[in-house]
Amino acid sequence: MTQLEKIRKAKGLSQENVAQACGVDRSTVTKWENGNFMPRAEKLPALAKFLGCTIEELLKEGDKDERRD
């Protein structure tokens, strides 16, 4: 689980909420959360502001035990 997904779920937000706030499709948020893609640099400030966190928190890697194989 990515930091983005953890933070989003902790705030009780849907992927659609995040997508609308960032001006992207929900499928893009899914790709971010699956670790397939990273948000573009220009999306990070809006994403962090919407989620009430820092960019550094969003980009932080999870614990090794939490990573999927």
Side-chain angles (χ1 to χ4, degrees), residues 8-67:
R8 177 184 63 77
K9 287 182 175 183
K11 303 273 183 183
L13 299 167
S14 70
Q15 288 182 338
E16 186 63 34
N17 298 141
V18 174
Q20 288 177 354
C22 294
V24 298
D25 291 334
R26 187 200 52 77
S27 62
T28 299
V29 177
T30 300
K31 291 173 186 174
W32 292 346
E33 290 187 356
N34 287 338
N36 295 331
F37 293 95
M38 294 292 294
R40 290 180 182 239
E42 64 266 15
K43 299 290 184 190
L44 290 173
L47 184 57
K49 183 176 181 180
F50 179 72
L51 293 172
C53 66
T54 66
I55 293 171
E56 290 79 17
E57 288 172 309
L58 284 174
L59 298 178
K60 178 181 161 189
E61 289 189 35
D63 295 334
K64 290 181 181 179
D65 293 341
E66 295 179 5
R67 289 186 188 165

